[in-house]
Amino acid sequence: MVKTPVSLPATDRKSSKVEGLKERSHALREPVATEISQDTTHFSEDGIQILKFHGSYQQDNRDNRVKGQEKDYQFMLRTRNPGGFIPPQLYLALDDLSSQYGNQTLRITTRQGIQLHGILKKNLKTAIATIVRNMGSTLGACGDVSRNVMSPPAPYKDRPEYVYAREYADQIADLLTPRTGAYYEIWLDGEKAITAEPNPAIAEALERNGNGTVFHDNEEPLYGTYYMPRKFKCSVTVPGDNSIDLYSQDVSLVVMTNSQGELEGFNVFAGGGMGRTHNKEETFPRLADPIGYVDKADVYDLMKAIVATQRDYGDRFNRRHARMKYLIEDWGVDKFRQEVEGYFGKSIQPFKPLPEFKYLDFLGWHEQGDGNLFLGISIDNGRIKDEGTFQLKSALREIEERFALPIRLTANHNLVLYEIKPSQQVEIQEILQRCGIQPETEIDPLVRYSMACPALPTCGLATAESERVLPSVMERIRTLLDKVGLDQEHFVVRMTGCPNGCARPYLAELGFVGQSPDTYQLWLGADPNQTRLAELYLDKLNIQNLEAALEPLLIYFKQERQQRAEPESFGDFCHRVGFDALRQFAASYEPRTSNKLRHRIGIKDEVYVKLKAIAAQQGKPMTELANTAIEAYLQTLS
C-alpha cells in the first residue's frame, strides 16, 4: 500500500543561512536586482549566493592579487544546454562574448555546458542578455536547483534509443527549470525570449499535484519558496552507454525500448554524487543505486516525486550533508523508494535487466545514420583557445561561419560537430589540420581519457592547481610508463584542485584531489568505464614526488596483472589486489638503477607554450623535440 508522505515545511526545521537568503530573495530577485545596477565591481555575500541561480559565480583572479588592493573581481558565466546542444548561432555569440568581455577562451564543462571566464560586473547583464537572445540560457546552471540535464552526445538518427535520450533530456530539463520571472526581469528588463512552444505534457505535469509534489499558489510550483537543499544533477542515457557518468548523478534515467525500437519506459538510478570535504569523514563520494522502472507515461510524475522527496526531506541545515546521496545513504534505498512512492501515488516497478555500461567518447568521424556525418573533436581539458600554432578557437569559428553546424558537448569536455554533409568533410578536416588540431588517432590515449577542473587562479574553492598543471603531470606519467616498459599502457586520469569533485576524480583509475599548493590526495581503483568508485590510497602527496609514488605501483602492475582477452586495466588491478598489497609492495620497492641519468632543466613559460604547440602539431613528445633542439644547438658550438 502506497502512503501519502507527511512533509515538514522548511520554516519548521533548523536551517542554514542560505535558506533564509532564498526565502527573502523574492523568487531569486534580490539582492541581485538591486546590486546589478550599482556602480561596484562585485556583489555582496548575499548577492553572490542568489547570483548562482542565474548561472554565474563571482570570482577573483588570484594571480593578480596585490596586498592592500581590491581583489581582481570577475565573473564566470555557465550556460545550461540540455544534452550539450549548442546551436551555431549560440556558439558564435559565445565566441564573440569571450573575445569582447572574457579572457579570450571558452571552457567546456564536465556537465555539457560552456563557461565564460573573466566577465566584469559592468558587462554581466550584456553577456547574459546576448546569450538568451541567441537561443541560450544560464538560468539554473548553478544554484540549488536542477543543473544541466545530460545525455549522450552522439547524434545518431537511426538509433531510436539515442533520439529518445536527447528528447527526454530536453523534457526533464524543461520540467525542472525554475519558473521565476526574475531571470528575464533582471537580465532582459522583463523581455522574455521565447525560443520554442512550451511542451503541453510538461505544463500538465506542473499542474498535477500528486501527493504534495506541486505548490499551486507559488511562483515556483515544483521548487517552492526554498528551492532544493543543494544542487540536483540528472541525466538520461541508453543501455550500455556511460558517456555521461550516470553513476555520479542524483538521478539517471535509462531509456528502455521494445524490439521495434519503441519507447516503453525508463530504468531509474538515484543517489550519486562526487562532492566531499577534506578531513570530514561524514562526507564522501557515492554511486547511484538502481531504484526501479517507470512507464514512459509516468516519468514526469516520478521525477516530480523524487524532487519532492529531496526537497522536503533533504538536510537544509548542514549544506555538507544536503545532497540527495546522503538522504539515501541515511535512509537506505528501500525507505527512499517508499517515500518517493508516497508522492508518486503508486508503486515503482522492478528494475529491468541492463547490459554492462561502457565509457564512450565518440571522437573521430562517424556515420550519423541519415547520410550525414558527425565528428568528435578532443579538447585538452575543455579549453577552447588559440595558443601559438594551436588555433582551435579560430578553427571552430571558421567552421561555424562557413557551415553553421550544430554542436553537442560531451561530459569529458570534448565536442561533436554534426549534420555534416559528406561533401564538407574534406574542407572541415583541412581547417582542423591547418589550425594544428590533432585527429584522435594521434592523441596519446593517456591524454584522451584525462580531465581536469579549472581550479586556480579563478575558482574560489581551489587549493591546488589542476587544469594548468595536468599537461605536465601527464607528460611525467607517460615518461614513467615508458621507463618501466609500459609504453603502450593508458588509464583514466582525473585531477581537481579541491575535493568537490567537479572533474569526477573519484571515478578515475588514477585521481588527483587537491589539498594544498602542490599537494594532492591520490585515489586509485575505479574501473575504466566509471562504474566503480576509486579509494583513497595516499594522502598529502607533493606533486614533485609523483614518480616515487607511482613507479612501484606500475612495476607491481606490470608484474602481476592478469592477462586475458583484454589485459587487466590499472584500475581493475588496484581494486583486485587491494591497497594493503599495493602499500606493502611500495614499501619494499627499491628503485631500479639506470645507466641513463635523467636530469631536469627549466625553460621560460613562453618557450614551453611554443614547444607544447609544436609537439601537438607534430604528434611527438615534448622531451624528444627539446633533446633534438639542444643537440642541434650544441653541434653549432662544436
Side-chain angles (χ1 to χ4, degrees):
M1 179 179 176
V2 175
K3 67 174 184 176
T4 301
V6 179
S7 60
L8 193 64
T11 51
D12 293 343
R13 291 179 287 171
K14 206 171 181 181
S15 58
S16 69
K17 176 185 175 183
V18 176
E19 295 302 310
L21 293 177
K22 288 186 280 189
E23 181 181 16
R24 295 189 299 272
S25 72
H26 185 35
L28 309 181
R29 289 172 174 83
E30 293 296 345
V32 174
T34 297
E35 294 184 13
I36 190 61
S37 62
Q38 295 172 345
D39 186 19
T40 59
T41 59
H42 58 284
F43 286 82
S44 67
E45 287 299 317
D46 290 357
I48 290 170
Q49 296 301 322
I50 302 303
L51 183 66
K52 292 177 183 178
F53 290 81
H54 296 262
S56 181
Y57 279 86
Q58 180 170 294
Q59 302 177 330
D60 75 284
N61 189 329
R62 283 187 257 179
D63 285 350
N64 296 338
R65 280 185 183 177
V66 178
K67 189 175 182 179
Q69 295 185 13
E70 184 180 78
K71 294 177 180 179
D72 182 15
Y73 288 110
Q74 51 187 253
F75 293 80
M76 178 269 281
L77 265 179
R78 181 184 295 156
T79 63
R80 182 178 62 84
N81 314 95
F85 173 62
I86 304 281
Q89 176 184 342
L90 177 59
Y91 180 83
L92 290 173
L94 291 168
D95 183 84
D96 287 339
L97 288 172
S98 72
S99 298
Q100 187 172 359
Y101 300 119
N103 69 353
Q104 313 301 311
T105 73
L106 295 168
R107 223 285 187 164
I108 299 175
T109 77
T110 55
R111 290 200 66 77
Q112 298 180 291
I114 283 184
Q115 289 183 175
L116 289 165
H117 291 266
I119 308 290
L120 299 181
K121 181 176 179 246
K122 65 182 181 180
N123 298 321
L124 198 55
K125 186 169 182 176
T126 298
I128 293 179
T130 300
I131 289 170
V132 175
R133 290 185 177 121
N134 285 277
M135 304 172 65
S137 178
T138 65
L139 175 62
C142 321
D144 297 346
V145 291
S146 172
R147 300 291 180 88
N148 198 41
V149 180
M150 302 171 72
S151 68
Y156 293 121
K157 298 295 182 66
D158 59 343
R159 298 177 65 173
E161 66 275 25
Y162 278 90
V163 177
Y164 291 129
R166 294 193 295 271
E167 176 187 342
Y168 275 86
D170 287 340
Q171 304 306 344
I172 298 301
D174 190 5
L175 177 71
L176 303 184
T177 296
R179 259 53 194 178
T180 176
Y183 187 71
Y184 296 98
E185 292 169 15
I186 294 171
W187 308 110
L188 287 96
D189 298 322
E191 170 197 342
K192 188 166 185 178
I194 300 176
T195 56
E197 288 297 318
N199 186 328
I202 300 298
E204 291 172 11
L206 290 173
E207 286 294 321
R208 288 194 300 271
N209 191 3
N211 291 322
T213 59
V214 169
F215 304 104
H216 288 295
D217 57 348
N218 196 293
E219 189 171 357
E220 293 286 6
L222 187 55
Y223 291 125
T225 301
Y226 299 94
Y227 293 86
M228 298 295 278
R230 280 298 300 273
K231 55 190 172 186
F232 193 78
K233 299 181 176 181
C234 305
S235 69
V236 185
T237 190
V238 306
D241 186 331
N242 195 26
S243 60
I244 43 80
D245 274 1
L246 74 97
Y247 289 96
S248 70
Q249 315 279 346
D250 288 271
V251 181
S252 283
L253 302 177
V254 183
V255 170
M256 304 298 288
T257 57
N258 60 24
S259 57
Q260 285 76 46
E262 299 166 334
L263 178 65
E264 292 190 330
F266 300 85
N267 269 345
V268 183
F269 291 84
M274 294 290 99
R276 49 178 287 276
T277 303
H278 287 313
N279 303 317
K280 301 287 184 183
E281 296 304 315
E282 67 273 20
T283 66
F284 44 83
R286 190 182 190 278
L287 296 184
D289 292 299
I291 300 299
Y293 170 85
V294 61
D295 291 329
K296 66 178 181 181
D298 292 328
V299 67
Y300 301 142
D301 287 332
L302 180 64
M303 286 299 300
K304 287 165 48 190
I306 293 174
V307 167
T309 302
Q310 166 64 358
R311 179 195 70 200
D312 294 344
Y313 291 101
D315 191 337
R316 290 184 179 269
F317 173 66
N318 180 3
R319 287 181 67 81
R320 288 198 180 105
H321 188 253
R323 290 290 299 276
M324 195 171 75
K325 65 179 178 179
Y326 296 118
L327 186 65
I328 295 180
E329 186 71 17
D330 293 345
W331 279 359
V333 172
D334 289 342
K335 180 180 178 182
F336 176 79
R337 186 187 296 110
Q338 290 170 6
E339 294 294 339
V340 170
E341 288 174 340
Y343 287 100
F344 187 38
K346 62 176 75 174
S347 297
I348 297 172
Q349 299 177 52
F351 197 79
K352 295 196 173 185
L354 288 171
E356 184 179 355
F357 280 97
K358 299 285 188 181
Y359 169 71
L360 306 169
D361 66 10
F362 304 108
L363 297 186
W365 288 96
H366 302 267
E367 296 283 345
Q368 193 169 281
D370 60 354
N372 287 335
L373 308 171
F374 70 88
L375 170 65
I377 299 174
S378 178
I379 301 176
D380 195 11
N381 293 318
R383 186 68 67 176
I384 299 175
K385 61 184 178 180
D386 287 345
E387 187 176 82
T389 58
F390 179 77
Q391 297 283 303
L392 177 61
K393 193 165 185 278
S394 294
L396 291 175
R397 181 165 193 92
E398 182 177 348
I399 289 170
E400 288 304 314
E401 287 179 337
R402 288 176 60 179
F403 304 109
L405 300 174
I407 293 171
R408 291 274 172 180
L409 308 175
T410 86
N412 261 45
H413 49 216
N414 301 318
L415 66 74
V416 172
L417 300 169
Y418 65 110
E419 302 293 4
I420 302 171
K421 296 179 174 59
S423 61
Q424 299 169 337
Q425 182 176 6
V426 172
E427 292 179 78
I428 291 171
Q429 194 62 56
E430 185 276 328
I431 294 171
L432 295 172
Q433 184 174 353
R434 167 164 45 84
C435 292
I437 315 305
Q438 286 181 298
E440 81 288 352
T441 53
E442 296 180 14
I443 299 170
D444 185 341
L446 197 64
V447 174
R448 176 172 176 170
Y449 299 115
S450 68
M451 285 203 299
C453 70
L456 298 172
T458 53
C459 178
L461 300 175
T463 58
E465 293 279 4
S466 184
E467 179 184 342
R468 295 195 296 192
V469 78
L470 185 61
S472 63
V473 169
M474 300 304 286
E475 286 232 346
R476 291 168 63 186
I477 295 174
R478 173 51 66 198
T479 299
L480 183 58
L481 286 168
D482 293 346
K483 172 187 174 182
V484 302
L486 291 169
D487 52 293
Q488 299 300 311
E489 193 59 41
H490 65 87
F491 34 78
V492 177
V493 181
R494 294 175 177 177
M495 175 179 274
T496 57
C498 82
N500 284 282
C502 291
R504 303 188 288 273
Y506 312 113
L507 285 170
E509 294 178 273
L510 176 61
F512 296 90
V513 179
Q515 289 179 286
S516 61
D518 300 323
T519 304
Y520 301 81
Q521 288 182 334
L522 196 63
W523 290 66
L524 301 174
D527 72 280
N529 295 304
Q530 292 95 63
T531 61
R532 181 181 63 239
L533 279 177
E535 298 177 62
L536 175 61
Y537 169 75
L538 189 61
D539 202 42
K540 297 181 180 177
L541 169 68
N542 188 292
I543 201 64
Q544 296 304 317
N545 300 324
L546 172 65
E547 288 82 358
L550 283 186
E551 183 172 322
L553 303 180
L554 296 176
I555 292 292
Y556 191 21
F557 171 54
K558 181 183 178 183
Q559 292 176 357
E560 302 296 334
R561 75 188 301 185
Q562 291 182 345
Q563 297 299 327
R564 308 175 293 211
E566 289 188 14
E568 186 175 30
S569 71
F570 179 64
D572 286 345
F573 168 79
C574 293
H575 178 72
R576 177 177 61 82
V577 302
F579 282 20
D580 288 343
L582 292 175
R583 293 187 177 106
Q584 183 177 354
F585 186 90
S588 61
Y589 176 74
E590 294 185 8
R592 297 180 175 184
T593 58
S594 173
N595 295 328
K596 187 183 293 185
L597 293 175
R598 296 185 179 273
H599 304 283
R600 291 180 181 272
I601 59 173
I603 58 175
K604 295 180 180 178
D605 290 345
E606 57 267 28
V607 176
Y608 177 86
V609 169
K610 292 178 182 177
L611 181 63
K612 179 183 175 184
I614 294 172
Q617 187 179 28
Q618 296 184 5
K620 296 179 180 179
M622 292 171 64
T623 304
E624 178 184 337
L625 293 183
N627 278 308
T628 300
I630 293 170
E631 288 173 0
Y633 174 71
L634 294 176
Q635 287 178 1
T636 64
L637 296 180
S638 61

